[in-house]
Structure formats: C-alpha cells, structure tokens
Amino acid sequence: NAGVTQTPKFQVLKTGQSMTLQCAQDMNHEYMSWYRQDPGMGLRLIHYSVGAGITDQGEVPNGYNVSRSTTEDFPLRLLSAAPSQTSVYFCATSGGLSYNEQFFGPGTRLTVL
Amino acid sequence: KNEVEQSPQNLTAQEGEFITINCSYSVGISALHWLQQHPGGGIVSLFMLSSGKKKHGRLIATINIQEKHSSLHITASHPRDSAVYICAVWGGATNKLIFGTGTLLAVQP
C-alpha cells in the first residue's frame, strides 16, 4: 500500500499562474484534508472532505479550490498563485472524524515568485 | 490566544535525559493527537488520546481532560528523537483538527 501520496514534491510558480496539487490515498478513508505549514505557525486547514462529493472550507480557504469526485483523490487547485501562498502543503486522511489516526502525505513545497 | 498552546517552543537535551513536552488547550475536545515531524520530513502520528495514558516504547502520552492538558514524555532520549513534536486536538463541535505550533526538540549526543 502506498498510503498517502502527494505530487509534485517541489514546485515553483510565477505570480498569477495556476496549478493543481495532487493527493491520493489507497486506504479507503472517507476524511481527507489539506493543510499549509508556515514558519512559526501551526498547520492550518485549507479545505476538507468527509466523503466523495462533499467538501467544506477550513480556516484559510481563499485562493484555493477543491473537489472530491472519488474516495481516493482530493486535488487542491491554486487559481491564481500569489507569493503569500508560498508554503509547504500537506494532505492528510483518516478513517473518520475525531478518534481516528491521521495519515499525512510527504508534503509539497511550493514557492511563488 | 491560540486554542492549542505548546511548551516549550524549543528544547535542547543531552542524550539519555527524560523529556517532557506540554500541550494545553482551551476548547472542548473529543480527541488529542501527538505528531512527529523530522526536519524536512513528513508528519507521522505518535498517539491519539481521549483519556488516561498511552505508551509506545520510550514514548508516553498522558491527558487530563478536566485540566485540558496533555504531556508527551520521552524516556532515555536519543539524537534520533530530534524532531518537531506537534499537539493537535479535535474540537468537539467541529470536523477539524486544531494544531499547536510545535516543539522543536534537539537531543545532543
């Protein structure tokens, strides 16, 4: 089992460009989420999904879109990249809410110039 | 004030020392997680607690629900324990984790 995979590992964008960060899991988990990690701050939730076809906003959703057409995939789209979106992005999954172990992908380091 | 506070923010220890990292939270929770992140690396789950105490090898995690406080202990610390340790809680009324800012631990040989 691959667990949680994220692509790409590294990405450099110019301001205004768009791109999609991919997240896939093979554990049949219902709950998937995207976080960003910035120096000196805790992980912050961008968007999450409690199952295919269901998504909701987290703490910092502006500038990002998500969709969940399958259980396995949860892509994060940057619509028009800005330098403030320079960060490390983590995808995470769990079998359910609350009392379920969290599994994190390896992260994507994004730089927006 | 952050809903999840960790202390200390930075900790340097000598190999073999007993280490304690603290986490206090201000919201009602249904579960608390301790996570580990090595430099430049991914994040792995160490513990998930809703009450009492759990032990995995040299790591022990405790939680006091009434005092809204959890501790992560490392016995006989080793340089390979050097990492950022992150506390996160499931807010009782929300579908999301709330994270502390992490404790950077360096264990020197």
Side-chain angles (χ1 to χ4, degrees):
Chain A
N1 287 349
V4 184
T5 59
Q6 287 184 240
T7 56
K9 283 195 167 69
F10 301 94
Q11 183 71 48
V12 178
L13 292 178
K14 294 181 180 176
T15 296
Q17 286 184 315
S18 62
M19 78 159 294
T20 300
L21 279 63
Q22 302 291 346
C23 175
Q25 53 102 356
D26 61 2
M27 295 178 283
N28 203 32
H29 283 171
E30 293 296 325
Y31 187 90
M32 297 186 74
S33 51
W34 276 104
Y35 298 93
R36 59 178 290 172
Q37 186 178 43
D38 301 294
M41 305 185 75
L43 286 146
R44 291 183 292 168
L45 181 65
I46 304 170
H47 285 284
Y48 67 98
S49 169
V50 298
I54 307 168
T55 63
D56 206 347
Q57 295 181 348
E59 185 184 355
V60 288
N62 291 341
Y64 307 95
N65 270 358
V66 292
S67 59
R68 183 94 180 271
S69 55
T70 67
T71 298
E72 293 77 22
D73 299 296
F74 191 42
L76 178 72
R77 296 182 188 85
L78 279 69
L79 308 171
S80 177
S84 60
Q85 293 178 304
T86 294
S87 187
V88 181
Y89 292 85
F90 287 97
C91 175
T93 79
S94 69
L97 304 177
S98 183
Y99 201 71
N100 280 272
E101 184 177 356
Q102 300 289 311
F103 295 86
F104 287 81
T108 294
R109 185 173 293 274
L110 175 68
T111 302
V112 183
L113 302 175
Chain B
K1 188 179 187 296
N2 291 338
E3 292 169 300
V4 180
E5 298 275 0
Q6 288 185 236
S7 63
Q9 287 188 309
N10 295 281
L11 180 57
T12 300
Q14 293 299 120
E15 184 173 357
E17 285 185 359
F18 180 85
I19 289 163
T20 296
I21 299 170
N22 296 299
C23 175
S24 296
Y25 53 91
S26 58
V27 296
I29 70 167
S30 51
L32 182 142
H33 296 255
W34 281 103
L35 309 165
Q36 181 192 55
Q37 184 176 27
H38 283 282
I43 300 169
V44 296
S45 177
L46 296 175
F47 292 103
M48 184 172 56
L49 295 162
S50 60
S51 65
K53 176 180 174 178
K54 286 192 175 180
K55 183 175 188 292
H56 291 160
R58 295 180 295 104
L59 273 59
I60 303 166
T62 63
I63 188 168
N64 185 318
I65 296 292
Q66 287 73 28
E67 294 186 3
K68 294 188 174 179
H69 181 268
S70 175
S71 293
L72 176 67
H73 304 287
I74 304 175
T75 62
S77 59
H78 190 276
R80 65 175 175 266
D81 297 325
S82 298
V84 175
Y85 292 85
I86 302 168
C87 172
V89 302
W90 269 106
T94 67
N95 292 336
K96 47 194 175 184
L97 278 172
I98 307 167
F99 291 83
T101 54
T103 295
L104 177 60
L105 171 65
V107 181
Q108 297 179 340

